[in-house]
Amino acid sequence: MLYWRTLPWDHVPGGLLIAEAGGRAAHLDGGRYRLQERREGLLVAGSPDRWERAREELGV
């Protein structure tokens, strides 16, 4: 999934579930998603490998 807006009430619960299941939720530059940061662009995938592949396919 790719989200442009990163409002905490939309992404914190899902980000936690993905992390607990072995996935990755991070900003497009690879930076960790943090509740207190209001940055655009959040990429979520079921595994770190899929996250990297999605990022490459997006051309980031």
Side-chain angles (χ1 to χ4, degrees), residues 38-53:
R38 289 283 180 103
R39 295 172 50 193
E40 295 178 333
L42 180 65
L43 183 59
V44 181
S47 73
D49 292 340
R50 288 183 184 207
W51 188 93
E52 287 294 338
R53 183 174 176 197

Side-chain angles (χ1 to χ4, degrees), residues 4-13 33 35 37-39:
W4 192 247
R5 290 182 15 190
T6 57
L7 301 172
W9 50 85
D10 290 336
H11 306 294
V12 170
Y33 173 63
L35 172 65
E37 290 182 10
R38 289 283 180 103
R39 295 172 50 193

Side-chain angles (χ1 to χ4, degrees), residues 11-34:
H11 306 294
V12 170
L16 175 62
L17 289 172
I18 286 291
E20 290 293 317
R24 182 171 185 199
H27 292 285
L28 294 173
D29 64 2
R32 187 173 153 209
Y33 173 63
R34 295 186 179 150

